[in-house]
Amino acid sequence: MRRYPRDMTGHGAQVPVANWPGNARIAVQIVLNYEEGSENNILHGDAASEAFLSEITGAQPWVGQRHWNMETLYEYGARAGFWRIHRMLKDLPITIYGVATALARAPEQVAAMKAAGWEIASHGLKWVEHKDMDAEEERAQIREAIRLHTEVVGTPPRGWYTGRCSMNTVDLAAEEGDFAYISDSYSDDLPYWTRAGGKDQLIVPYTMDCNDMRFGIQAGFTNGDQFESYLRDSFDMLYAEGEAGAPKMLSIGLHCRIAGRPGRALALKRALDYMMRHEGVWFATREEIADHWAQEHPPVTWERPSEMDKARFVEEFGGIFEHSPWIAEGACDLELGPTHDTAAGVHSALARVFRTASEAQRLGVLTAHPDLAGKLAEAKRLTAESTEEQASVGLDALTDAERETFTALNEAYTEKFGFPFIIAVRDNTKSSIMAAFQRRVSNDRETEFAEACRQVERIAELRLQQKFGA
């Protein structure tokens, strides 16, 4: 079986209601990354100097050398930028993404974070790339980050964000840490649960767009007005969605050495002042958001179609297309994944197999359907699905005159087309079914065959929606 691990659906069209405290229309979450003193540096045992997220355009690592300009740019974040942002935000609940080795070199700053009541989450052991680390090396670094963080801060971190992560990061972090949340994801505007490290792990997604890192890349912000405007537009869009009953979360990412610069700090202040003038805004730490979400929307354990073996998949979905389990067998062989673990996802897989089948195979599916209000119904030999569907519009309780009309139409239709009249009963009433019957019996066979196939797919869709409770 081919399986595709990425979840391309997420919350989908039915977004869960966040129920933010105080019926807030939006949750605003500010992250301050504290990385200064943990970046690549031969003083830290690294092979070269840092080359990422600084004022130096196109910076390259200096192998075996210290880079004075780069070091002092990072030092600005610790010496000046942090304190400017601290003065601005000390009365707001924000989250620190603290790299453990950076925190160990920042006793004054850690004391100020704690005095402000800020959450201090872990940002890993060092501010370096993890993509080329083998799993055991990265696991060891995660363990050491948790140990050092606890030693420096006094309590273990409840949140985790590596940032420059590998494909193993989320699983390893979930295995090694008892985290209320992990933030190595950019895939949603709301928290969500995923299976990681053998358990249900809450993900509180982070941001790279509402992030001052865009001052450090070529396709980014060049002045404070752009940053402010983008933050305000993002807020306005999400605030409007909250007014419409679908509250979301706005994440804002900051770095001491970037947003701590005067021109950028003032733009940030203007944007936050604008947000504070609105009613129904919940400023929160990521820890608070995670705890709220876990209480309001705890993980739900269920049997996922994409994780079923073929026998179980066919048992569950083999009857969706009437008496045609081969369709479910073919669907199970497709490239399924978490995005197929919905009514729409399973329907897509089943319909693909039906649509690509031969005409003879599709005709077999059509002829497997019973006549409407026909002899099988009278003899109570319909499938449970067909029995319920026909009963839903009263086809199990026809008058003698209605039964005679249906019988005559069934005979004329079947004689002309070679398959029974098929219609998605749940989309109709008894009278609209009768009208469609009388209209469609005059079609040519090609037109009616195509229409019957569409109705078969629609019946399957409605059956799956009922099964999934959609």
Side-chain angles (χ1 to χ4, degrees):
M1 296 187 296
R2 293 177 292 160
R3 293 296 177 259
Y4 188 70
R6 297 169 66 196
D7 184 353
M8 310 299 283
T9 300
H11 294 305
Q14 303 299 320
V15 178
V17 178
N19 292 323
W20 299 136
N23 294 318
R25 299 169 187 171
I26 185 172
V28 176
Q29 205 296 297
I30 302 168
V31 164
L32 178 60
N33 291 269
Y34 196 90
E35 300 158 349
E36 290 73 15
S38 66
E39 74 277 12
N40 281 286
N41 190 315
I42 63 171
L43 290 176
H44 306 157
D46 302 305
S49 63
E50 186 57 70
F52 190 52
L53 279 190
S54 78
E55 308 290 339
I56 304 174
T57 303
Q60 297 297 315
W62 290 9
V63 178
Q65 297 183 60
R66 292 176 64 186
H67 191 317
W68 180 263
N69 291 350
M70 183 64 72
E71 288 186 22
T72 57
L73 286 168
Y74 268 75
E75 287 165 15
Y76 182 91
R79 294 163 58 105
F82 171 82
W83 297 107
R84 178 170 288 116
I85 294 174
H86 180 267
R87 288 190 294 272
M88 285 174 49
L89 304 184
K90 67 180 185 299
D91 296 324
L92 284 176
I94 77 170
T95 294
I96 297 290
Y97 282 166
V99 182
T101 51
L103 295 177
R105 297 181 174 113
E108 295 279 348
Q109 293 88 337
V110 170
M113 295 171 194
K114 295 173 71 174
W118 290 349
E119 176 202 1
I120 308 178
S122 182
H123 197 2
L125 182 64
K126 297 173 65 176
W127 177 230
V128 297
E129 287 286 2
H130 295 75
K131 65 182 180 66
D132 297 322
M133 287 185 188
D134 63 50
E136 289 313 305
E137 181 185 0
E138 187 174 2
R139 184 191 303 277
Q141 291 219 3
I142 292 171
R143 287 179 178 173
E144 177 59 14
I146 296 170
R147 186 203 67 78
L148 182 57
H149 182 109
T150 305
E151 178 183 300
V152 171
V153 177
T155 54
R158 296 194 68 223
W160 180 273
Y161 174 73
T162 294
R164 298 160 82 171
C165 60
S166 75
M167 292 303 296
N168 298 316
T169 296
V170 173
D171 276 319
L172 292 173
E175 288 176 11
E176 294 300 324
D178 185 20
F179 295 121
Y181 69 91
I182 294 173
S183 285
D184 280 298
S185 172
Y186 313 95
S187 62
D188 215 300
D189 297 314
L190 286 172
Y192 62 89
W193 294 95
T194 192
R195 291 293 295 177
K199 65 182 181 182
D200 291 312
Q201 176 63 60
L202 184 64
I203 304 295
V204 180
Y206 189 43
T207 178
M208 283 193 178
D209 65 321
C210 292
N211 194 311
D212 66 3
M213 67 168 285
R214 302 193 71 81
F215 285 107
I217 60 176
Q218 289 184 336
F221 305 128
T222 57
N223 61 62
D225 287 346
Q226 293 174 331
F227 186 40
E228 176 192 359
S229 175
Y230 193 85
L231 292 181
R232 288 178 56 152
D233 285 347
S234 299
F235 175 87
D236 286 345
M237 184 71 217
L238 295 175
Y239 190 82
E241 291 179 6
E243 285 185 306
K248 301 293 193 333
M249 174 182 72
L250 172 64
S251 291
I252 300 173
L254 308 174
H255 298 76
C256 301
R257 65 191 176 278
I258 300 176
R261 292 282 175 176
R264 298 166 186 156
L266 186 57
L268 172 66
K269 183 179 185 304
R270 290 196 302 266
L272 293 178
D273 286 346
Y274 172 77
M275 296 175 195
M276 291 177 192
R277 290 197 294 270
H278 289 71
E279 295 181 355
V281 180
W282 180 41
F283 285 89
T285 65
R286 296 179 90 71
E287 181 180 30
E288 290 172 327
I289 287 172
D291 288 343
H292 173 84
W293 195 267
Q295 181 176 343
E296 290 287 326
H297 301 285
V300 177
T301 300
W302 62 293
E303 189 178 19
R304 295 178 175 273
S306 65
E307 296 176 356
M308 295 176 181
D309 62 24
K310 182 174 286 190
R312 179 72 185 104
F313 190 91
V314 174
E315 179 186 6
E316 191 69 17
F317 303 111
I320 296 298
F321 279 73
E322 196 88 5
H323 296 296
S324 302
W326 60 269
I327 294 177
E329 291 172 0
C332 192
D333 289 335
L334 295 175
E335 183 190 76
L336 304 183
T339 199
H340 293 92
D341 292 336
T342 62
V346 174
H347 182 260
S348 173
L350 296 172
R352 286 173 59 189
V353 175
F354 177 66
R355 291 168 191 164
T356 54
S358 67
E359 183 172 333
Q361 288 174 309
R362 285 179 289 148
L363 178 60
V365 176
L366 301 188
T367 56
H369 276 260
D371 292 335
L372 288 182
K375 294 179 180 178
L376 289 178
E378 191 174 351
K380 300 188 182 301
R381 291 172 53 197
L382 299 180
T383 63
E385 292 87 354
S386 290
T387 298
E388 186 179 356
E389 288 159 1
Q390 294 201 23
S392 69
V393 291
L395 295 184
D396 61 337
L398 298 176
T399 65
D400 290 341
E402 288 172 335
R403 186 173 292 103
E404 287 179 9
T405 302
F406 267 103
T407 299
L409 285 169
N410 276 327
E411 291 175 353
Y413 184 96
T414 304
E415 182 179 352
K416 179 175 182 179
F417 298 115
F419 50 84
F421 177 76
I422 300 170
I423 192 168
V425 170
R426 293 189 183 279
D427 286 336
N428 289 275
T429 63
K430 185 164 58 177
S431 60
S432 69
I433 291 171
M434 184 72 75
F437 219 149
Q438 293 168 334
R439 182 182 69 255
R440 285 169 51 187
V441 74
S442 63
N443 284 339
D444 61 76
R445 189 181 187 283
E446 182 179 357
T447 299
E448 189 55 23
F449 185 85
E451 178 60 30
C453 287
R454 282 192 291 271
Q455 292 297 323
V456 163
E457 290 187 22
R458 177 59 178 161
I459 291 168
E461 183 178 22
L462 291 168
R463 288 177 177 179
L464 286 165
Q465 288 176 358
Q466 186 175 35
K467 180 181 282 289
F468 279 81

